[in-house]
Amino acid sequence: MLRPAWLHVQRLLYLMGRRPDLLCGAIALSCALFVALRFTCSRAKDVVLPAKPPVHFFPLQSPVVDLFLGQIDYAEHLRQESEITLYFLYAPWCAQSIAAREEIEHVANNLADQVLFVAVNCWWHHGKCRKQRSFFFYPVIHLYHRSFGPIEYKGPLTAGYIEKFVRRVMSPVLYVPSMEKLKDFLFNLEPGVLGFFEFNASPQPPGYLTFFRSALHSLQKDYIDTIRFGVITCRALAKEISLSSPGSVYLHRNLNSSLVYPHQEMNFTAANICKWALDNRETLLHWIRPHGGKSLLLNNELKKGPALFMFIPFNPLAEEQPLLHEIMEVVMKYNSCTQSPQHVEREDVKPFPCCNTVVLPPWPLLSRVHNVCELCVNQSRGVSPLPVTEPHCNFVDIAAALDSFYLKEQIFLNFMSTVRGCSNFLSSYSPYFFYSACCQTVSGGRIASYQDNASSVLSSQGKDPNEKSHIVPHIEEKGQRTSSYDLTSHALTGLRCRTNKTLNMYLLDSNISWVYAERLGASSQERKFAAIIDLKEEIHYIIDQSQPLIGPTLGMMANSVIHGELISLATM
């Protein structure tokens, strides 16, 4: 193989020796090709410019220590000298980091004397933060309580929410000194854990530091449905919640039995206390805070069943939240199952009627003879405790009664008697309602008064009173028609336990999530809105926005949807 190749080389050299011009051309072409390649490679290197050195992300006069070169090691050194430290790990090009910069600076101006704020550029490729840590998004906020941490903040990037979370880390355990404070602590949206420790013997009684760290653990585990931790030092006050020995821990639950930490079954450690509280907490009302990106958060909640979404303007730093307390009362009444319908004594079941007159079509051979029935809706007091001083009646109840009445219409058409005869039949929609129809045959001019009243009612409903129909009876409402239920607090109490349809309840801050309310049909200028979504039935209801978002309105809305009714609601 080598000999033929060597022969070709010898022949090429022989030809080039006989023709020097060919040799010079080959050498010139090789040099030109080498120079072109060299020039091209040098130009390619010049296209990639080195990154510009980073600059200060925060103003020089800001209380935030800005380590714009990514010196995370120096940030760790600063943290050792402060009790509470907040890390703001950012990328200078990130829009969310730029938007959150002003919010962080606002919080730092309020808490600079108590908290150390450190911002670190974790995008600079020469910085130690970029080399030692990797993040999938920016900015990242970490808090440290002395040696405990990091506690990552994942809430809204607004000053109010960030400051509230920082204050929770600063004081994870609240002091409960009096009975009034105890009641305020227990009647709160967030679940409460109370510990009884006597501080008269030593500055730090046994078990208190463990209890304190368990509060920090809860903030680390769940930043939305957080648990409030409190401490009681008065023995008499501790006895009010059945705590007698120091070191006892109590988990308050509004509906189910409250619990005391089982010392004999579980070791008294911060992680165990936190896990025990999270596993056994009672959360009746959930906060939902969509982050604005792609997420299955709302979809996962809607899959659980019908959901009531309440949008309220929420100030996380406000000491008093009257609207939130009113909503909490509605939720408590809805979930309070003090008496089961199955155990209601028979003598307590006293119906209150809601009656209207139904004029049936005339007899085929006797045009002036009609059957007139008084159709009544009856509801048991023992099932839904309402005052019996006034009947509660509306057009929707009668419309539902008519659906059941249609099925038995032939019976009442063929009935003929000058004496009233009554018959009871169950509702098609609810096991807690039954209907009664008392009919009588009427002839002559007596029917005119019924027809006149029926025509006036039909006109008020936007229907043509002259429209003839042999199927749909006319309705006389006797002036009892109302635009909404006259619900009292008793009507809502225990509603969850009286039906087989559970309504999950959620809160959203309209200041940051109003775009979702608008997609559901909100138009209120006060940014208060409520809607019920039933994903299975592919329908949703919105509250009458002319009505204030208060407890009775929400109660009426929940009661109406649970019973399959639609009162003062707009269907989308």
Side-chain angles (χ1 to χ4, degrees):
M1 294 293 295
L2 294 177
R3 186 174 181 82
W6 173 246
L7 292 175
H8 285 296
V9 173
Q10 286 183 336
R11 186 177 179 183
L12 179 62
L13 293 175
Y14 174 75
L15 292 174
M16 293 177 66
R18 295 186 60 184
R19 299 185 61 179
D21 53 342
L22 182 62
L23 176 62
C24 295
I27 295 174
L29 182 62
S30 300
C31 293
L33 182 62
F34 176 78
V35 171
L37 290 174
R38 178 78 178 180
F39 181 74
T40 303
C41 294
S42 62
R43 286 288 301 273
K45 291 181 179 179
D46 294 339
V47 169
V48 181
L49 296 176
K52 296 181 179 180
V55 296
H56 283 279
F57 192 67
F58 284 84
L60 295 177
Q61 66 274 15
S62 173
V64 181
V65 179
D66 188 5
L67 303 179
F68 60 94
L69 295 177
Q71 310 100 303
I72 193 66
D73 53 341
Y74 185 62
E76 294 292 331
H77 171 71
L78 294 176
R79 184 170 67 84
Q80 305 302 323
E81 302 176 358
S82 177
E83 182 177 2
I84 308 295
T85 306
L86 182 145
Y87 282 179
F88 181 71
L89 311 176
Y90 67 90
W93 54 265
C94 173
Q96 290 188 350
S97 297
I98 296 173
R101 172 174 53 189
E102 184 178 352
E103 307 295 329
I104 290 292
E105 192 169 5
H106 180 79
V107 178
N109 288 327
N110 294 337
L111 302 175
D113 56 337
Q114 306 173 67
V115 180
L116 173 64
F117 290 81
V118 181
V120 184
N121 182 356
C122 287
W123 184 256
W124 175 238
H125 62 284
H126 292 309
K128 290 188 177 181
C129 183
R130 176 70 179 271
K131 294 178 180 179
Q132 296 178 5
R133 306 188 184 187
S134 59
F135 302 103
F136 295 101
F137 59 89
Y138 291 97
V140 176
I141 299 177
H142 286 167
L143 285 107
Y144 293 85
H145 191 290
R146 293 184 179 176
S147 60
F148 186 90
I151 304 173
E152 185 174 356
Y153 173 73
K154 300 178 182 178
L157 294 176
T158 60
Y161 280 96
I162 296 174
E163 183 173 342
K164 179 185 178 181
F165 192 80
V166 173
R167 291 185 180 275
R168 289 289 292 269
V169 175
M170 292 168 57
S171 302
V173 177
L174 301 176
Y175 176 49
V176 182
S178 63
M179 190 65 189
E180 182 181 357
K181 292 292 184 182
L182 177 62
K183 292 180 180 179
D184 292 340
F185 183 89
L186 297 180
F187 188 78
N188 193 280
L189 174 63
E190 299 172 343
V193 174
L194 285 166
F196 171 43
F197 299 94
E198 290 183 326
F199 282 79
N200 52 4
S202 63
Q204 294 178 352
Y208 176 72
L209 288 181
T210 301
F211 182 74
F212 187 90
R213 290 179 67 87
S214 67
L216 294 174
H217 271 281
S218 70
L219 293 174
Q220 195 176 43
K221 295 290 184 181
D222 194 342
Y223 75 98
I224 295 181
D225 293 325
T226 53
I227 300 177
R228 305 173 82 227
F229 281 73
V231 60
I232 297 176
T233 60
C234 175
R235 183 177 291 271
L237 190 61
K239 289 183 179 180
E240 296 291 334
I241 54 174
S242 303
L243 295 182
S244 56
S245 59
S248 302
V249 177
Y250 168 88
L251 173 63
H252 177 70
R253 300 194 295 186
N254 292 294
L255 302 181
N256 299 305
S257 300
S258 299
L259 302 176
V260 177
Y261 184 80
H263 286 267
Q264 298 179 352
E265 301 176 9
M266 302 176 65
N267 293 329
F268 195 78
T269 63
N272 283 348
I273 296 174
C274 177
K275 184 179 184 304
W276 170 76
L278 290 174
D279 291 344
N280 295 282
R281 64 181 169 178
E282 182 184 71
T283 305
L284 305 177
L285 192 60
H286 299 268
W287 275 104
I288 293 183
R289 298 190 178 105
H291 54 71
K294 291 184 178 180
S295 173
L296 295 176
L297 177 62
L298 290 174
N299 183 64
N300 292 337
E301 298 300 332
L302 288 172
K303 286 182 178 179
K304 297 177 182 178
L308 169 60
F309 293 99
M310 292 168 282
F311 295 82
I312 61 172
F314 180 69
N315 181 7
L317 297 178
E319 295 184 2
E320 297 292 333
Q321 304 280 357
L323 181 56
L324 193 59
H325 284 297
E326 192 166 358
I327 292 175
M328 189 62 186
E329 288 181 0
V330 172
V331 176
M332 289 288 295
K333 291 171 183 175
Y334 171 77
N335 289 279
S336 297
C337 303
T338 56
Q339 189 176 19
S340 176
Q342 289 81 2
H343 298 90
V344 178
E345 296 295 334
R346 190 65 189 172
E347 57 268 21
D348 292 335
V349 182
K350 297 179 181 179
F352 62 86
C354 168
C355 301
N356 286 272
T357 302
V358 178
V359 181
L360 293 175
W363 282 62
L365 300 178
L366 302 173
S367 60
R368 295 178 59 82
V369 178
H370 295 254
N371 280 347
V372 178
C373 299
E374 189 174 31
L375 184 63
C376 297
V377 180
N378 297 275
Q379 184 179 8
S380 175
R381 279 183 56 200
V383 174
S384 180
L386 284 173
V388 294
T389 55
E390 297 180 4
H392 299 270
C393 185
N394 57 74
F395 188 81
V396 177
D397 287 335
I398 296 300
L402 284 174
D403 289 340
S404 297
F405 188 79
Y406 292 153
L407 301 177
K408 299 175 176 58
E409 181 185 8
Q410 205 64 33
I411 299 175
F412 300 106
L413 280 172
N414 298 331
F415 172 82
M416 185 173 184
S417 174
T418 57
V419 181
R420 287 168 59 90
C422 298
S423 176
N424 295 330
F425 51 98
L426 292 176
S427 166
S428 302
Y429 296 100
S430 174
Y432 309 133
F433 285 84
F434 69 92
Y435 307 132
S436 63
C438 297
C439 300
Q440 180 180 359
T441 303
V442 179
S443 62
R446 292 177 59 191
I447 197 66
S449 61
Y450 293 113
Q451 292 175 334
D452 291 341
N453 288 329
S455 299
S456 63
V457 172
L458 290 171
S459 299
S460 67
Q461 296 296 318
K463 301 178 181 179
D464 185 4
N466 298 320
E467 182 181 352
K468 300 204 178 273
S469 174
H470 67 282
I471 298 177
V472 182
H474 293 188
I475 300 173
E476 179 201 6
E477 292 198 306
K478 296 185 179 180
Q480 294 181 357
R481 181 172 180 267
T482 58
S483 61
S484 63
Y485 275 120
D486 183 19
L487 285 172
T488 64
S489 61
H490 298 290
L492 187 64
T493 302
L495 182 60
R496 180 178 67 88
C497 307
R498 302 199 304 270
T499 62
N500 59 356
K501 183 183 288 186
T502 301
L503 185 65
N504 302 313
M505 300 186 180
Y506 303 94
L507 281 172
L508 293 94
D509 186 358
S510 58
N511 294 324
I512 58 178
S513 302
W514 188 245
V515 61
Y516 299 99
E518 291 178 336
R519 294 290 298 272
L520 291 173
S523 59
S524 174
Q525 299 297 324
E526 297 182 0
R527 295 207 164 193
K528 297 178 183 178
F529 178 72
I532 294 180
I533 303 177
D534 192 338
L535 197 62
K536 182 179 180 180
E537 301 294 336
E538 297 184 353
I539 56 176
H540 80 269
Y541 310 107
I542 64 173
I543 197 169
D544 184 358
Q545 298 181 61
S546 63
Q547 301 292 330
L549 188 62
I550 56 177
T553 309
L554 294 173
M556 179 192 68
M557 186 179 189
N559 187 71
S560 301
V561 175
I562 286 295
H563 286 96
E565 299 163 357
L566 193 60
I567 303 170
S568 295
L569 303 175
T571 308
M572 300 300 292

